[in-house]
């Protein structure tokens, strides 16, 4: 109590003011300060390492920005700076003449040399000396949380060679605001002397806001709420990846990006490979069409139709081989050869579009084709019989959702093979920008044939003004193969929503800092926060962003996502 039970309590207004002040009066612990529900735990730097990379602070700080950094710096006049350096050099000299041995001598010699070199630089005016104070303050809703975060952060600083110190019984002094006189009272050891280069390493943030004209909003920076707007079509690759555990908000974020792209550039052709059938209503909401592959709604493609490889019959024959290998993994070499020969003959023969009946008839009679015929029965009387006939999918305008729900797992690779051919053809043949969303992309990473194809698409579609948006739970499915890694390297932007864990491979591949790797499994989920926390790697940048939908966007998406489109003949 500030007022206690004194006269001010009896003064009506005065009493209320006192009471209000009480609620916000800071409470000081040994190493922390509480104001209201907010705890603050300071950490001071006692000794800097001898070398620091530029911008290191941006990489040791946790992405969510719950640690405030303040740097106070005052220039030391050159005459005084030279005195300081001469003093340092003299101390080193006298220690050396005092005869220290071994490694210590080397350290002192290095100190003397650096004082000498810096002295010359100060005399030449290429460097200056600065009186610098560096303070970190961890903020959070509980004492345990801020203290734990402070320990973790001190460890990360120690790994860089810093010696830090938790001020005890001097939290207020450590947290005191700045008067900018350079002579404020600060806890012992707070002030350090740094050169201009040393000071420059403390500037963590280069130009962090990204606002590309004509782009779409991808998120709001978690550190300062500045919007990040990216123009997919202005970079070397138009393809992006979105990774995150289940419920992290991948599908929502992807739909949001697609919708914003559609509203920004209505001429862009949006295509969705939708394994779970989640985007049907969304695509209808944008005025597009849905083809349900398993259900045959919206028509189907004849996988043997050369139109799906832009009329290239030889290419089609090769792709049919890939398709069969995906569907019948137990095919023997000689059976493959027989099928390949039959497909080639059939497709080389001329203008007509073959069916699976034609293919079965093309197989030579006799030995070695018995099992093959049984395999092909699936197209004649089995679950894929609907594909044994001409293509019935009409010209599809506007956004297209290819709904793959209901396709058995072991048939997915098969369907994806000819669907990707069709997509590739569409991208090549249509003018204007094209964006293909591939959800659950790990399904493609699983088969070498489809993974390679996907990689090819990512590398080449730029020439057709097209980009991919790949969604998967973790990059690891792709990191396992050479083609997968090549694919990941060719994504211009990669967003990590909450990951269940960050593997060593992912960390190394993306150059994630320990702070980032530690944070990603704790990034807030949309069901907790109402937005998705994420880390974007855009070109060389690492940006922690909130993926946020405006209210109308949210209403548009929430009503439509996750629901299969109703049947339409
Ligand atoms: N940025 C966001 N803002 C508001 N709500 C969101 C956001 N992202 C996701 N949600 C909501 O959170 C839930 C889960 O999101 P979503 O389905 O996109 O996750 P996911 O990563 O695709 O998961 P899964 O791997 O299971 O497909 C959905 O109900 C969605 O509406
Ligand atoms: Mg999803």
């Amino acid at each position: 109590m500030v007022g206690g039970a004194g006269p001010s309590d009896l003064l009506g207004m005065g009493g209320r003011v006192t009471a209000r002040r009480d609620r916000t009066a800071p409470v000081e612990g040994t190493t922390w300060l509480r104001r209201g529900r907010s705890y603050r735990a300071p950490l001071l730097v006692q000794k800097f390492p001898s070398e620091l990379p530029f911008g290191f602070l941006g990489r040791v700080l946790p992405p969510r920005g719950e640690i405030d950094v303040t740097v106070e710096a005052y220039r030391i006049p050159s005459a005084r700076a030279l005195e300081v350096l001469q003093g340092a050099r003299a101390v080193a000299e006298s220690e050396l003449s005092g005869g220290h041995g071994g490694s210590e001598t080397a350290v002192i010699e290095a100190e003397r040399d650096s004082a000498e070199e810096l002295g010359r630089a100060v005399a030449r005016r290429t460097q200056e000396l600065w009186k610098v104070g560096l303070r970190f303050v961890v903020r959070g809703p509980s004492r345990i949380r801020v203290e734990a975060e402070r320990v973790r952060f001190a460890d990360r600083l120690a790994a860089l060679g810093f010696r830090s110190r938790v001020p005890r019984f001097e939290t207020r002094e450590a947290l005191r605001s700045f008067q900018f006189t350079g002579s404020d009272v600060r806890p012992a050891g707070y002030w350090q002397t740094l050169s201009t280069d040393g000071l420059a390493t403390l500037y963590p943030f280069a130009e962090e806001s990204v606002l590309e004209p004509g782009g779409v909003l991808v998120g709001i920076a978690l550190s300062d709420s500045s919007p990040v707007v990216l123009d997919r079509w202005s970079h070397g690759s138009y393809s992006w990846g979105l990774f995150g555990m289940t419920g992290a908000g991948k599908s929502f974020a992807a739909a949001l990006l697609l919708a914003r792209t559609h509203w920004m550039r209505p001429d862009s052709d949006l295509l969705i490979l939708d394994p779970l059938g989640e985007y049907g209503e969304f695509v209808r909401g944008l005025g597009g069409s849905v083809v349900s592959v398993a259900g045959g709604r919206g028509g189907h493609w004849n996988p043997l139709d050369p139109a799906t490889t832009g009329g290239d019959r030889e290419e089609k024959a090769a792709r049919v081989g890939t398709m069969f290998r995906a569907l019948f993994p137990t095919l023997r070499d000689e059976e493959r050869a027989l099928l390949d020969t039959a497909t080639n003959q059939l497709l080389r023969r001329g203008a007509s579009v073959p069916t699976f009946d034609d293919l079965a008839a093309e197989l030579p009679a006799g030995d070695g084709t018995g099992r093959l015929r049984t395999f092909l029965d699936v197209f004649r009387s089995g679950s894929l019989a609907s594909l044994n006939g001409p293509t019935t999918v009409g010209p599809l305008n506007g956004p297209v959702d290819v709904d793959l729900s209901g396709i058995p797992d072991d048939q997915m690779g098969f369907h994806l093979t000819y669907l990707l051919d069709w997509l590739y053809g569409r991208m090549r043949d249509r003018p204007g920008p094209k964006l293909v969303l591939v959800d659950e992309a790990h399904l493609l990473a699983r088969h070498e044939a489809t993974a390679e194809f996907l990689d090819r698409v990512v590398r080449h579609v730029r020439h057709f003004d097209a980009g991919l948006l790949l969604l998967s739970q973790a990059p690891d499915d792709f990191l396992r193969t050479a083609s997968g890694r090549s694919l990941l390297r060719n994504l211009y932007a990669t967003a990590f929503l909450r990951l269940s864990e960050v593997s060593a491979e992912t960390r190394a591949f993306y150059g994630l800092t320990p702070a980032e790797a530690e944070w990603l499994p704790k990034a807030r989920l949309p069901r907790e926060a109402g937005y998705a926390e994420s880390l974007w790697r855009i070109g060389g940048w690492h940006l922690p962003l909130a993926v946020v939908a405006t209210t109308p966007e949210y209403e548009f998406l929430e009503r439509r996502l996750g629901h299969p489109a109703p049947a339409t003949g």
Side-chain angles (χ1 to χ4, degrees):
M1 285 287 282
V2 171
S8 70
D9 281 1
L10 307 173
L11 292 176
M13 268 301 277
R16 278 205 294 281
V17 169
T18 306
R20 191 156 60 224
R21 230 187 253 146
D22 273 353
R23 272 205 299 279
T24 54
V27 177
E28 187 178 354
T30 320
T31 62
W32 47 266
L33 197 80
R34 173 167 70 82
R35 192 185 288 276
R37 294 216 195 107
S38 170
Y39 284 80
R40 300 172 77 207
L43 185 71
L44 303 178
V45 170
Q46 259 188 312
K47 192 170 185 331
F48 284 72
S50 51
E51 275 188 33
L52 271 176
F54 281 91
F56 78 95
L57 269 183
R59 297 172 65 80
V60 287
L61 288 169
R64 205 183 276 147
E66 59 279 78
I67 299 188
D68 293 333
V69 188
T70 42
V71 180
E72 208 179 348
Y74 302 93
R75 195 173 69 83
I76 300 173
S78 332
R80 173 77 195 121
L82 286 170
E83 270 172 40
V84 169
L85 290 166
Q86 268 152 21
R89 198 185 137 189
V91 169
E93 291 285 9
S94 84
E95 282 182 3
L96 284 172
S97 63
H100 285 274
S103 60
E104 216 171 323
T105 308
V107 173
I108 300 168
E109 275 173 0
E111 278 171 7
R112 177 200 57 195
D113 294 350
S114 104
E116 234 173 61
E117 196 184 315
L118 200 50
R120 282 195 294 274
V122 170
R124 281 199 310 270
R125 299 274 178 155
T126 54
Q127 290 282 321
E128 291 184 287
L129 283 197
W130 300 80
K131 176 177 166 180
V132 177
L134 178 59
R135 178 183 80 182
F136 301 98
V137 180
V138 185
R139 277 181 291 108
S142 83
R143 185 170 65 79
I144 291 174
R145 199 137 122 196
V146 292
E147 292 198 322
E149 181 59 42
R150 177 167 57 186
V151 168
R152 274 197 296 274
F153 182 62
D155 284 348
R156 289 200 292 270
L157 283 178
L160 284 172
F162 278 93
R163 203 158 72 225
S164 60
R165 178 172 83 85
V166 174
R168 296 176 67 79
F169 299 109
E170 49 184 352
T171 312
R172 265 176 213 271
E173 288 86 333
L175 291 174
R176 189 170 289 150
S177 58
F178 303 114
Q179 305 304 317
F180 301 108
T181 61
S183 52
D184 302 354
V185 179
R186 295 289 179 198
Y190 173 77
W191 294 113
Q192 302 284 328
T193 306
L194 290 186
S195 66
T196 305
D197 278 352
L199 178 61
T201 63
L202 299 181
Y203 283 84
F205 312 110
E207 179 51 62
E208 287 246 353
S209 70
V210 184
L211 289 171
E212 297 177 349
V216 299
L217 177 70
V218 298
I220 304 286
L222 286 171
S223 55
D224 62 2
S225 303
S226 60
V228 170
V229 173
L230 284 185
D231 178 15
R232 174 187 300 275
W233 317 106
S234 70
H235 298 281
S237 157
Y238 306 151
S239 296
W240 298 0
L242 278 179
F243 298 100
M245 61 182 277
T246 179
K250 299 179 294 295
S251 299
F252 187 94
L256 186 60
L257 287 171
L258 250 58
R260 286 175 179 167
T261 303
H262 179 77
W263 292 321
M264 191 75 194
R265 294 195 63 167
D267 62 323
S268 35
D269 193 26
L270 305 180
L271 304 154
I272 303 180
L273 273 188
D274 181 5
L276 303 180
E278 294 173 276
Y279 297 91
E281 276 305 280
F282 164 71
V283 159
R284 284 182 197 286
L286 295 179
S289 21
V290 181
V291 182
S292 157
V293 178
R297 291 194 302 276
H300 58 76
W301 287 274
N302 172 7
L304 301 178
D305 190 344
T308 55
T309 49
D312 186 335
R313 301 176 84 86
E314 219 168 289
E315 167 78 1
K316 183 78 242 180
R319 302 296 300 151
V320 171
T322 306
M323 219 153 64
F324 281 133
R325 283 194 289 283
L327 189 57
F328 311 123
T330 63
L331 270 189
R332 300 181 191 124
D333 288 349
E334 61 277 15
E335 289 169 334
R336 269 187 209 174
L338 280 169
L339 255 182
D340 284 350
T341 309
T343 314
N344 268 309
Q345 282 169 355
L346 195 61
L347 280 159
R348 221 181 290 140
R349 198 168 301 137
S352 76
V353 176
T355 64
F356 287 96
D357 277 336
D358 299 331
L359 183 61
E362 193 73 26
L363 289 174
D367 288 353
T369 59
R371 240 169 56 102
L372 270 183
R373 287 180 200 285
T374 317
F375 280 148
L376 290 180
D377 278 348
V378 72
F379 297 105
R380 311 185 71 198
S381 51
S383 59
L384 296 172
S386 62
L387 303 184
N388 188 13
T391 297
T392 54
V393 173
L396 300 167
N397 291 313
V400 178
D401 178 44
V402 181
D403 177 343
L404 298 164
S405 60
I407 290 181
D409 221 30
D410 56 348
Q411 290 183 357
M412 195 58 105
F414 160 78
H415 285 289
L416 285 171
T417 309
Y418 71 84
L419 287 170
L420 285 172
D421 286 339
W422 169 76
L423 277 174
Y424 193 81
R426 182 173 173 117
M427 287 184 258
R428 184 189 44 209
D429 299 340
R430 291 207 164 203
K434 279 133 309 205
L435 182 54
V436 185
L437 165 59
V438 182
D439 204 340
E440 311 285 339
H442 61 277
L443 295 173
L444 289 119
R446 264 200 323 223
H447 307 279
E448 186 60 17
T450 47
E452 257 169 35
F453 183 72
L454 197 58
D455 173 38
R456 194 147 61 93
V457 170
V458 169
R459 275 184 293 138
H460 293 305
V461 289
R462 193 169 70 87
H463 308 303
F464 315 145
D465 254 348
L468 256 82
L469 184 54
L470 282 190
L471 271 53
S472 207
Q473 302 220 345
D476 299 79
D477 295 323
F478 298 91
L479 286 171
R480 274 191 266 282
T481 61
S483 58
R485 283 193 298 279
S486 152
L487 177 152
L488 295 181
R489 263 193 290 278
N490 283 294
L491 301 174
Y492 172 69
T494 306
F496 300 102
L497 302 165
R498 174 141 153 190
L499 295 178
S500 51
E501 56 172 345
V502 181
S503 69
E505 292 76 24
T506 298
R507 255 178 76 170
F509 187 84
Y510 288 102
L512 298 179
T513 66
E516 288 165 345
E518 206 180 278
W519 177 72
L520 279 171
K522 295 187 298 193
R524 298 178 73 197
L525 293 169
R527 69 162 172 272
E528 303 160 4
Y531 55 86
E533 285 190 342
S534 60
L535 178 71
W536 287 68
R537 197 171 163 283
I538 303 168
W541 308 53
H542 290 220
L543 296 177
L545 302 182
V547 177
V548 191
T550 61
T551 304
E553 284 173 331
Y554 181 81
E555 284 170 358
F556 179 81
L557 295 176
E558 192 56 17
R559 258 187 293 138
R560 290 177 174 82
L561 281 179
H563 313 295
T568 54

